[in-house]
Amino acid sequence: MDRQDLRLAVCVGLAAGFGSISTVPDGYYLPLTLAAVMVGSYGGSYALGLQRVICTLLGGLLLLIAQPAFTGLPFPIGLALMLGLIRFLGGCLGLEAGYKITGMVVVMGWLMQSTAVDGWLGLKLSWTALGVVLALLTLHLFWPSTAIREHQQAYVALLELQREALLEQQRLLLQSAGVRLSPARRKQRHRELMRALIQTRATRSAALLELGANPYAQPQSHLWTELERCCAAIAGCITALRALREPFVAVPALRELHQAEAHLLADAVALLGLWQDALNRNRAALLPDSRSDDLEASMERLRSVERDLLVQDELPEALDPFQQRQLARRLLLCYQIGAVVQRMQLRWQELMITNKDPWPAPP
């Protein structure tokens, strides 16, 4: 049993005890609402609880307004028409859950005496609303677990794996002997990276639900989309770098080039660390001084070293065609990593300008 199951069991038990000792009738609706609404995340529970209240209201309105029009019909026909009307109105209102609640309200109210329907509907709605409020308070106060925070932590874990992989490539560029991973270890690291990337995508829907009714109008959703693209591109570059042969550190003419590549990767790792710090905070925003100037300088230095290297006549003699392709491939991948990280950094800052405080504090 995890902590969410324990939280649900404790809260439902307390709600059942409170409902049983309460002098207000129909107290069993309170634990039933808690058990149905507490789905784990605050946003999911809020959406589900809101629809539960709406469906209860819808069932009560249909019972009070439409039932008198169907009383002259046979009971099976009238009830079937009422349930069809529930389905039609629920589709028009865009309800995704709670049709059973609306139907239950209608069926139970239909079978009750007309004099008792008004009081029962008020009690049902009151207990339902109280259960939703208690569920949200419980998720806020008792082992809070928000989908936005979980989504951000998934990105933090993914960025940590990518930082480790880039640091591994940096060490390989500086001293290749005994640094390159074995094929089995490379395959394991690749699987870990892919699982972390899949985990970020799996937690996206719940985080978007927690943003509210129109999540795509908020900068957070755009930032997550851009960050996912950036991490996917970096993951592809890391996989391609691991597939290359060891760098040619024994060739004196290439040492400066490899040092420039290592410096670029180190600056990219530094920016990934700043992103992790931003995502770990309640209000994830980059610090004002967290710019990509160092990364830009590293990319310019690498271009300068590359230009100097291309004019040397002895380079084609030191490397065969396969080694030259390997050298060009590694150089291109380093440029790609630098460009992807720099573009994401600029995009993040643009979103901060669009909304000074785009990240809501977790409930």
Side-chain angles (χ1 to χ4, degrees):
M1 177 183 292
D2 58 16
R3 67 177 191 175
Q4 293 185 1
D5 296 333
L6 180 60
R7 177 179 58 192
L8 178 62
V10 171
C11 294
V12 172
L14 292 176
F18 176 76
S20 62
I21 64 176
S22 175
T23 57
V24 181
D26 299 335
Y28 58 88
Y29 285 123
L30 182 61
L32 289 177
T33 302
L34 279 171
V37 169
M38 293 181 63
V39 297
S41 70
Y42 187 91
S45 297
Y46 176 80
L48 190 59
L50 181 62
Q51 292 212 14
R52 195 174 183 88
V53 173
I54 292 174
C55 289
T56 304
L57 283 172
L58 178 62
L61 290 175
L62 289 175
L63 189 63
L64 295 176
I65 297 175
Q67 184 187 9
F70 295 149
T71 51
L73 299 175
F75 175 77
I77 297 177
L79 187 59
L81 290 175
M82 182 70 78
L83 295 178
L85 182 60
I86 290 172
R87 179 64 181 173
F88 173 76
L89 292 178
C92 293
L93 294 175
L95 299 178
E96 299 177 357
Y99 286 115
K100 293 182 180 180
I101 300 300
T102 307
M104 185 191 71
V105 171
V106 170
V107 172
M108 292 184 64
W110 199 302
L111 298 177
M112 295 175 64
Q113 297 292 332
S114 59
T115 56
V117 171
D118 295 343
W120 174 78
L121 280 177
L123 291 174
K124 175 71 170 62
L125 181 60
S126 300
W127 283 119
T128 300
L130 179 60
V132 172
V133 172
L134 290 179
L136 296 179
L137 287 175
T138 300
L139 292 173
H140 174 64
L141 300 174
F142 188 24
W143 283 335
S145 176
T146 62
I148 290 178
R149 185 179 304 169
E150 292 176 359
H151 193 49
Q152 293 178 182
Q153 290 304 312
Y155 275 116
V156 170
L158 174 59
L159 290 172
E160 182 62 28
L161 291 176
Q162 294 187 338
R163 291 180 74 244
E164 293 176 358
L166 293 178
L167 288 175
E168 165 204 324
Q169 293 299 317
Q170 182 202 18
R171 292 190 296 267
L172 187 64
L173 287 166
L174 297 178
Q175 49 177 12
S176 61
V179 178
R180 191 165 187 258
L181 299 176
S182 63
R185 186 60 175 165
R186 291 199 301 270
K187 184 180 295 185
Q188 180 184 358
R189 290 286 185 87
H190 175 72
R191 290 175 178 173
E192 292 175 356
L193 193 59
M194 292 300 103
R195 281 196 297 266
L197 187 60
I198 293 173
Q199 180 64 23
T200 61
R201 295 173 179 171
T203 56
R204 174 69 62 83
S205 58
L208 290 175
L209 184 63
E210 196 161 299
L211 287 179
N214 190 12
Y216 296 102
Q218 301 189 35
Q220 295 96 307
S221 62
H222 299 288
L223 182 57
W224 291 337
T225 301
E226 295 292 338
L227 191 57
E228 180 182 346
R229 292 174 181 171
C230 174
C231 291
I234 294 175
C237 292
I238 289 173
T239 301
L241 282 173
R242 284 174 171 165
L244 296 177
R245 299 286 183 88
E246 290 86 350
F248 310 107
V249 295
V251 181
L254 299 179
R255 289 177 185 173
E256 187 178 0
L257 178 68
H258 292 327
Q259 289 176 356
E261 292 172 338
H263 199 275
L264 186 150
L265 295 181
D267 289 335
V269 168
L271 283 180
L272 296 186
L274 293 177
W275 298 353
Q276 286 181 299
D277 294 338
L279 293 170
N280 277 321
R281 292 192 296 269
N282 286 341
R283 298 182 181 272
L286 291 176
L287 297 176
D289 57 346
S290 58
R291 297 186 296 269
S292 57
D293 296 344
D294 293 340
L295 181 60
E296 176 63 27
S298 297
M299 294 179 68
E300 289 296 331
R301 179 170 178 264
L302 183 57
R303 294 189 187 100
S304 176
V305 174
E306 179 189 6
R307 287 192 295 266
D308 295 340
L309 190 64
L310 290 176
V311 299
Q312 296 184 16
D313 298 332
E314 66 273 11
L315 182 60
E317 300 177 358
L319 302 175
D320 57 37
F322 174 77
Q323 292 174 331
Q324 292 181 18
R325 289 194 297 270
Q326 292 275 306
L327 182 66
R329 180 62 173 163
R330 176 175 279 106
L331 185 62
L332 177 61
L333 290 172
C334 289
Y335 280 135
Q336 288 180 348
I337 292 174
V340 167
V341 173
Q342 189 179 43
R343 184 165 56 249
M344 181 64 217
Q345 180 78 5
L346 294 175
R347 181 58 178 155
W348 199 320
Q349 291 174 340
E350 289 175 358
L351 291 171
M352 289 175 58
I353 295 174
T354 303
N355 188 339
K356 295 291 185 181
D357 188 14
W359 295 78

